[in-house]
Amino acid sequence: QKEVEQDPGPLSVPEGAIVSLNCTYSNSAFQYFMWYRQYSRKGPELLMYTYSSGNKEDGRFTAQVDKSSKYISLFIRDSQPSDSATYLCAMSAGTGGFKTIFGAGTRLFVKA
Amino acid sequence: DADVTQTPRNRITKTGKRIMLECSQTKGHDRMYWYRQDPGLGLRLIYYSFDVKDINKGEISDGYSVSRQAQAKFSLSLESAIPNQTALYFCATSDPTEIGNTIYFGEGSWLTVV
């Protein structure tokens, strides 16, 4: 079993839809939870960062962490064609990039 | 200009050939990484380096070697390339004191081994 499981999609939604992206994990030591966005032929870029459980909102994006269920989510409100990308969840037990485990990524297409 | 620059961006090579991927960064970070990305498998760590004199194996180091020539330069070599090393390779950096655990990636190097 992988430490981090993420449905690769693809997920196709109409413009304006609410998008829900999810990951599950098995390592209860994970404390830091991240979402990276990767456009085609580009490197991933950090989109959201959350420490421990709870919600974090940034504009149209909301990250949720439920440590009791070992489940994290990223919600995108009022989705736009420019949101079309691959979204990778990532998590680690401590600081330092070498400890970060990435999900496989979910490809999202937002149709105009 | 990108903070993390990789060369070449695309390369096709033959089985058994030696290939080097180069990376340079302008972020001033001590920590540098090489990742491999495959469909369905996500990003997997090949090697990482905390400073010029420090090299550490990651999850999938077999068949790869690295060299940290300077704080800003970290290269990845495939001594004898094989087809299952066909993948997208990313160089990255991070600062452990930076809130957010951010890893900064280059734009990637597409490597095809035929």
Side-chain angles (χ1 to χ4, degrees):
Chain A
Q1 181 188 8
K2 294 180 182 178
E3 276 192 288
V4 178
E5 297 277 2
Q6 183 176 11
D7 187 337
L11 179 62
S12 183
V13 301
E15 182 176 359
I18 297 174
V19 176
S20 173
L21 304 169
N22 311 291
C23 288
T24 59
Y25 63 95
S26 58
N27 188 345
S28 58
F30 288 147
Q31 294 282 348
Y32 301 85
F33 302 92
M34 290 72 72
W35 287 94
Y36 283 79
R37 179 173 60 193
Q38 182 178 14
Y39 290 114
S40 180
R41 306 194 71 80
K42 297 289 187 181
E45 292 182 298
L46 183 68
L47 182 63
M48 298 283 287
Y49 162 78
T50 308
Y51 172 71
S52 194
S53 286
N55 294 358
K56 186 174 183 179
E57 186 173 324
D58 184 1
R60 296 184 295 109
F61 298 89
T62 300
Q64 284 187 352
V65 175
D66 181 351
K67 292 187 67 180
S68 63
S69 301
K70 297 189 178 67
Y71 189 88
I72 70 170
S73 300
L74 177 70
F75 297 97
I76 307 174
R77 292 185 299 280
D78 187 25
S79 57
Q80 303 294 310
S82 59
D83 294 327
S84 298
T86 297
Y87 291 81
L88 298 94
C89 63
M91 47 200 81
S92 67
T95 56
F98 71 102
K99 298 180 181 178
T100 301
I101 306 297
F102 289 85
T106 300
R107 291 196 68 187
L108 171 67
F109 296 96
V110 181
K111 298 172 293 185
Chain B
D1 289 342
D3 292 327
V4 183
T5 303
Q6 295 181 226
T7 55
R9 293 292 314 280
N10 295 281
R11 177 62 59 87
I12 300 174
T13 192
K14 292 184 178 180
T15 298
K17 292 291 187 181
R18 183 179 188 273
I19 180 98
M20 178 182 288
L21 306 179
E22 298 184 331
C23 175
S24 63
Q25 54 110 348
T26 59
K27 296 197 71 66
H29 292 165
D30 288 328
R31 295 187 175 189
M32 296 190 72
Y33 312 85
W34 275 103
Y35 287 90
R36 167 179 173 159
Q37 187 174 39
D38 298 275
L41 296 176
L43 285 160
R44 292 181 292 167
L45 184 60
I46 305 173
Y47 271 96
Y48 61 99
S49 170
F50 285 172
D51 62 40
V52 175
K53 296 180 181 180
D54 177 77
I55 301 290
N56 303 280
K57 292 182 177 181
E59 179 187 354
I60 53 163
S61 59
D62 287 349
Y64 302 95
S65 63
V66 292
S67 175
R68 185 80 183 267
Q69 300 94 330
Q71 187 210 33
K73 296 185 181 295
F74 192 36
S75 61
L76 176 72
S77 293
L78 287 69
E79 297 300 326
S80 180
I82 57 177
N84 76 0
Q85 291 178 313
T86 293
L88 178 56
Y89 291 85
F90 287 104
C91 176
T93 74
S94 74
D95 178 351
T97 66
E98 189 173 300
I99 294 175
N101 251 7
T102 307
I103 300 174
Y104 297 90
F105 290 89
E107 296 200 326
S109 295
W110 282 97
L111 177 65
T112 302
V113 183
V114 297

